[in-house]
Protein backbone atom coordinates (compact mmCIF):
# COMPACT_ATOMS: atom_id res chain seq x y z
CA UNK A 1 0.00 0.00 0.00
CA UNK A 2 1.54 3.29 -1.09
CA UNK A 3 -0.98 5.63 0.57
CA UNK A 4 -4.65 5.89 1.50
CA UNK A 5 -7.30 8.56 2.05
CA UNK A 6 -9.63 8.47 5.02
CA UNK A 7 -12.75 10.60 4.93
CA UNK A 8 -15.70 11.07 7.26
CA UNK A 9 -17.97 9.09 4.94
CA UNK A 10 -17.85 6.29 2.38
CA UNK A 11 -16.21 6.94 -0.97
CA UNK A 12 -18.60 5.89 -3.75
CA UNK A 13 -17.11 8.21 -6.36
CA UNK A 14 -14.57 6.86 -8.83
CA UNK A 15 -11.25 8.68 -8.65
CA UNK A 16 -9.96 10.67 -11.61
CA UNK A 17 -6.24 11.24 -12.23
CA UNK A 18 -4.92 14.29 -14.11
CA UNK A 19 -1.64 16.21 -14.05
CA UNK A 20 -0.21 14.31 -11.09
CA UNK A 21 -3.34 14.80 -8.99
CA UNK A 22 -6.12 12.49 -7.86
CA UNK A 23 -9.62 13.97 -7.62
CA UNK A 24 -12.33 12.08 -5.73
CA UNK A 25 -15.62 12.77 -3.99
CA UNK A 26 -16.82 11.45 -0.65
CA UNK A 27 -20.16 11.02 1.03
CA UNK A 28 -18.82 13.39 3.68
CA UNK A 29 -19.73 16.13 1.19
CA UNK A 30 -16.21 16.97 0.02
CA UNK A 31 -14.29 16.83 -3.23
CA UNK A 32 -10.63 16.07 -2.53
CA UNK A 33 -7.47 16.71 -4.53
CA UNK A 34 -4.48 14.57 -3.62
CA UNK A 35 -0.91 14.34 -4.82
CA UNK A 36 -0.73 11.16 -6.90
CA UNK A 37 2.78 10.21 -5.68
CA UNK A 38 2.36 10.82 -1.96
CA UNK A 39 -1.38 10.93 -1.27
CA UNK A 40 -0.90 14.29 0.46
CA UNK A 41 -4.12 16.29 0.50
CA UNK A 42 -3.76 19.36 -1.71
CA UNK A 43 -7.23 20.77 -1.05
CA UNK A 44 -10.79 19.86 -0.11
CA UNK A 45 -13.94 21.59 -1.32
CA UNK A 46 -17.14 21.31 0.77
CA UNK A 47 -20.53 20.84 -0.88
CA UNK A 48 -23.88 20.62 0.92
CA UNK A 49 -24.35 16.85 0.51
CA UNK A 50 -22.68 13.61 -0.57
CA UNK A 51 -20.44 13.57 -3.64
CA UNK A 52 -20.93 10.23 -5.39
CA UNK A 53 -20.39 11.51 -8.93
CA UNK A 54 -16.89 11.00 -10.31
CA UNK A 55 -15.15 14.29 -11.06
CA UNK A 56 -14.31 15.38 -14.60
CA UNK A 57 -10.96 17.05 -15.26
CA UNK A 58 -10.79 19.33 -18.30
CA UNK A 59 -7.98 21.84 -18.72
CA UNK A 60 -7.38 23.68 -15.46
CA UNK A 61 -10.81 22.83 -14.02
CA UNK A 62 -12.45 19.99 -12.16
CA UNK A 63 -16.20 19.58 -12.60
CA UNK A 64 -18.34 17.55 -10.21
CA UNK A 65 -21.97 17.11 -9.23
CA UNK A 66 -23.31 16.60 -5.74
CA UNK A 67 -26.40 15.13 -4.14
CA UNK A 68 -27.19 18.72 -3.15
CA UNK A 69 -28.36 19.21 -6.76
CA UNK A 70 -25.48 21.53 -7.62
CA UNK A 71 -22.84 21.13 -10.30
CA UNK A 72 -19.51 22.72 -9.36
CA UNK A 73 -16.60 24.01 -11.45
CA UNK A 74 -13.45 24.15 -9.35
CA UNK A 75 -9.93 25.36 -10.05
CA UNK A 76 -7.88 22.16 -10.31
CA UNK A 77 -4.80 23.66 -8.63
CA UNK A 78 -6.43 25.48 -5.71
CA UNK A 79 -9.93 23.99 -5.30
CA UNK A 80 -11.48 27.46 -5.46
CA UNK A 81 -15.01 27.68 -6.80
CA UNK A 82 -15.09 29.04 -10.35
CA UNK A 83 -18.90 28.78 -10.77
CA UNK A 84 -21.83 26.57 -9.87
CA UNK A 85 -25.06 25.55 -11.55
CA UNK A 86 -28.08 24.47 -9.52
CA UNK A 87 -30.22 21.70 -11.01
CA UNK A 88 -33.57 20.53 -9.72
CA UNK A 89 -32.27 17.39 -8.00
CA UNK A 90 -29.21 15.30 -7.14
CA UNK A 91 -26.36 14.50 -9.53
CA UNK A 92 -24.83 11.05 -9.22
CA UNK A 93 -23.11 10.48 -12.58
CA UNK A 94 -19.97 11.93 -14.07
CA UNK A 95 -20.23 14.73 -16.58
CA UNK A 96 -19.03 14.56 -20.16
CA UNK A 97 -17.54 17.28 -22.32
CA UNK A 98 -17.33 18.38 -25.94
CA UNK A 99 -15.75 21.09 -28.01
CA UNK A 100 -18.45 23.61 -28.82
CA UNK A 101 -19.65 23.22 -32.42
CA UNK A 102 -20.77 26.86 -32.49
CA UNK A 103 -18.14 28.79 -30.48
CA UNK A 104 -14.57 28.07 -31.62
CA UNK A 105 -12.24 27.37 -28.73
CA UNK A 106 -15.08 26.89 -26.21
CA UNK A 107 -15.79 23.73 -24.25
CA UNK A 108 -19.23 22.53 -23.24
CA UNK A 109 -19.90 20.37 -20.19
CA UNK A 110 -22.80 17.88 -20.25
CA UNK A 111 -24.29 16.64 -16.99
CA UNK A 112 -27.41 14.65 -16.19
CA UNK A 113 -29.50 15.08 -13.08
CA UNK A 114 -32.35 13.48 -11.20
CA UNK A 115 -34.35 16.53 -12.32
CA UNK A 116 -34.86 14.55 -15.60
CA UNK A 117 -32.64 16.95 -17.55
CA UNK A 118 -29.37 16.82 -19.41
CA UNK A 119 -27.72 20.19 -18.86
CA UNK A 120 -25.23 21.61 -21.38
CA UNK A 121 -23.09 24.33 -19.78
CA UNK A 122 -20.31 26.60 -20.98
CA UNK A 123 -17.15 25.36 -19.22
CA UNK A 124 -15.75 28.86 -18.66
CA UNK A 125 -18.81 30.61 -17.27
CA UNK A 126 -21.40 27.99 -16.31
CA UNK A 127 -23.87 29.66 -18.68
CA UNK A 128 -26.66 27.29 -19.78
CA UNK A 129 -26.22 26.49 -23.47
CA UNK A 130 -29.25 24.20 -23.65
CA UNK A 131 -31.27 21.74 -21.57
CA UNK A 132 -32.77 18.46 -22.78
CA UNK A 133 -35.79 17.15 -20.86
CA UNK A 134 -36.36 13.40 -20.63
CA UNK A 135 -39.16 11.41 -19.03
CA UNK A 136 -37.08 10.24 -16.06
CA UNK A 137 -33.71 10.66 -14.34
CA UNK A 138 -30.54 10.98 -16.32
CA UNK A 139 -28.00 9.08 -14.28
CA UNK A 140 -25.58 8.16 -17.06
CA UNK A 141 -22.46 9.87 -18.33
CA UNK A 142 -23.06 11.26 -21.83
CA UNK A 143 -20.80 10.35 -24.74
CA UNK A 144 -20.12 12.70 -27.65
CA UNK A 145 -19.15 11.80 -31.23
CA UNK A 146 -19.69 13.20 -34.70
CA UNK A 147 -21.66 16.20 -33.45
CA UNK A 148 -24.05 14.04 -31.46
CA UNK A 149 -24.64 13.43 -27.75
CA UNK A 150 -25.53 9.89 -26.76
CA UNK A 151 -26.98 9.45 -23.28
CA UNK A 152 -29.07 6.79 -21.61
CA UNK A 153 -31.90 7.65 -19.29
CA UNK A 154 -33.87 6.00 -16.54
CA UNK A 155 -36.79 6.39 -18.97
CA UNK A 156 -35.42 3.18 -20.62
CA UNK A 157 -34.24 5.12 -23.68
CA UNK A 158 -30.89 5.84 -25.33
CA UNK A 159 -31.23 9.42 -26.55
CA UNK A 160 -29.20 10.67 -29.51
CA UNK A 161 -29.18 14.47 -29.73
CA UNK A 162 -27.70 17.00 -32.11
CA UNK A 163 -24.98 18.63 -29.99
CA UNK A 164 -25.31 22.11 -31.50
CA UNK A 165 -29.10 22.38 -31.39
CA UNK A 166 -30.19 19.94 -28.66
CA UNK A 167 -32.60 18.40 -31.16
CA UNK A 168 -33.37 14.67 -30.89
CA UNK A 169 -31.86 12.73 -33.79
CA UNK A 170 -33.18 9.35 -32.73
CA UNK A 171 -33.91 7.29 -29.66
CA UNK A 172 -33.72 3.60 -28.88
CA UNK A 173 -35.99 2.04 -26.27
CA UNK A 174 -34.12 -0.70 -24.41
CA UNK A 175 -36.74 -1.81 -21.89
CA UNK A 176 -34.78 -1.00 -18.72
CA UNK A 177 -33.31 2.06 -17.01
CA UNK A 178 -29.82 3.04 -18.15
CA UNK A 179 -27.61 4.11 -15.27
CA UNK A 180 -24.15 3.67 -16.80
CA UNK A 181 -22.38 5.78 -19.37
CA UNK A 182 -21.77 4.57 -22.90
CA UNK A 183 -18.80 4.77 -25.21
CA UNK A 184 -18.53 5.59 -28.88
CA UNK A 185 -15.91 4.09 -31.17
CA UNK A 186 -15.77 3.40 -34.90
CA UNK A 187 -19.22 4.85 -35.50
CA UNK A 188 -20.82 2.46 -33.01
Amino acid sequence: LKWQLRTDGPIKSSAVIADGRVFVGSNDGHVYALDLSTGRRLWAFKTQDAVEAPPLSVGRSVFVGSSDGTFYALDAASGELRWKHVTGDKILAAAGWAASPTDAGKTWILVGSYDNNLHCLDADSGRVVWTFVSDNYINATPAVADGKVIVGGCDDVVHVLDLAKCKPVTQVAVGAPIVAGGAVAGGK
Side-chain angles (χ1 to χ4, degrees):
L1 178 67
K2 189 165 182 173
W3 56 262
Q4 64 184 355
L5 169 68
R6 292 197 183 274
T7 68
D8 291 332
I11 296 176
K12 295 182 180 179
S13 164
S14 296
V16 172
I17 298 171
D19 299 323
R21 296 182 194 109
V22 178
F23 303 101
V24 67
S26 171
N27 277 24
D28 69 4
H30 287 88
V31 180
Y32 294 94
L34 312 166
D35 181 272
L36 177 61
S37 298
T38 66
R40 181 176 61 87
R41 188 169 87 177
L42 303 172
W43 53 259
F45 179 84
K46 177 80 170 121
T47 72
Q48 300 303 308
D49 205 340
V51 180
E52 294 183 22
L56 169 68
S57 175
V58 179
R60 295 183 311 215
S61 297
V62 174
F63 303 91
V64 67
S66 172
S67 291
D68 67 10
T70 304
F71 187 69
Y72 298 91
L74 308 173
D75 182 274
S78 68
E80 290 182 30
L81 179 66
R82 294 186 60 222
W83 54 260
K84 63 184 178 178
H85 173 74
V86 178
T87 70
D89 209 332
K90 62 187 172 184
I91 301 166
L92 299 182
W97 71 276
S100 167
T102 58
D103 298 319
K106 291 280 191 177
T107 300
W108 289 355
I109 304 297
L110 303 154
V111 62
S113 172
Y114 272 55
D115 67 359
N116 299 2
N117 294 313
L118 179 66
H119 303 263
C120 180
L121 309 168
D122 178 90
D124 292 329
S125 67
R127 174 185 61 84
V128 176
V129 177
W130 51 255
T131 303
F132 171 74
V133 181
S134 71
D135 289 332
N136 207 332
Y137 310 144
I138 296 184
N139 192 29
T141 303
V144 179
D146 301 323
K148 294 177 185 66
V149 178
I150 299 93
V151 66
C154 290
D155 57 357
D156 305 352
V157 174
V158 175
H159 300 275
V160 180
L161 311 169
D162 179 278
L163 174 62
K165 300 175 184 163
C166 184
K167 300 269 187 217
V169 174
T170 191
Q171 60 182 20
V172 179
V174 296
I178 303 164
V179 297
V184 179
K188 296 185 173 47

